[in-house]
Amino acid sequence: TASIGLAVFPEHGASEDELIRNADLAMYQVKRRGKDSVGFFVKEMSSQYSEKINLEVELRKALHRADFQVHYQPIHDVRKGTVECLEALVRWQHPTLGLLEPARFIYIAEETGMISLLSDRVLDCACAQLKQWRTEGFPKLRVAVNVSARDFERSDFGERVVQALARHKLQP
């Protein structure tokens, strides 16, 4: 498929670099909407780009500072009236923006390749929490962890999961 971003001289830029940057912004907007299309640059994209770049820089710092929290959403069996599983959901405790939902940062982690490190941290945190819950008397509780498609593309994905389980003495 093709994703095309267009910027027009002189409305969208006075130099080659500015035109290419703005066409690139339009292309990434097309990709976020589903790919295989054409999009024109609009001025609002510049502020979105600045925000994205700032979040990318902050995301790199956050991964080193471990500014992420894992929240757990229960998945109920309505017939039994029991919690059958918990879904691990990552949140970013940003120092100035507060608690950020995944929609604000996951796409940046995926685009920049930081998603694997983030996924590893969430998986490790979920395994540690599951081990604690099992120790506290919930032996049948399960935890589901969302994984990026980019993680499945890595040849060591399965091994990383096995290692996380082994670190916390959990059976798959």
Side-chain angles (χ1 to χ4, degrees), residues 74-99:
I75 299 171
H76 295 272
D77 182 325
V78 197
R79 285 176 250 144
K80 293 180 189 174
T82 59
V83 173
E84 293 296 308
C85 184
L86 294 164
E87 181 181 7
L89 304 170
V90 67
R91 301 292 185 261
W92 177 8
Q93 186 60 55
H94 191 280
T96 57
L97 300 175
L99 195 63

Side-chain angles (χ1 to χ4, degrees), residues 105-167:
F105 63 90
I106 291 293
Y107 77 96
I108 297 171
E110 287 177 332
E111 286 177 7
T112 60
M114 290 185 271
I115 193 67
S116 292
L117 182 55
L118 180 57
S119 295
D120 286 347
R121 296 224 173 130
V122 172
L123 178 61
D124 194 66
C125 184
C127 286
Q129 183 62 63
L130 180 59
K131 180 65 175 180
Q132 180 180 340
W133 283 328
R134 287 189 173 171
T135 301
E136 292 172 354
F138 301 97
K140 293 186 180 190
L141 192 60
R142 296 176 297 132
V143 172
V145 177
N146 295 314
V147 178
S148 169
R150 293 203 49 182
D151 285 319
F152 283 112
E153 294 170 354
R154 293 190 53 179
S155 60
D156 66 342
F157 173 70
E159 183 59 31
R160 289 174 27 230
V161 172
V162 168
Q163 289 172 356
L165 292 167
R167 256 191 317 277

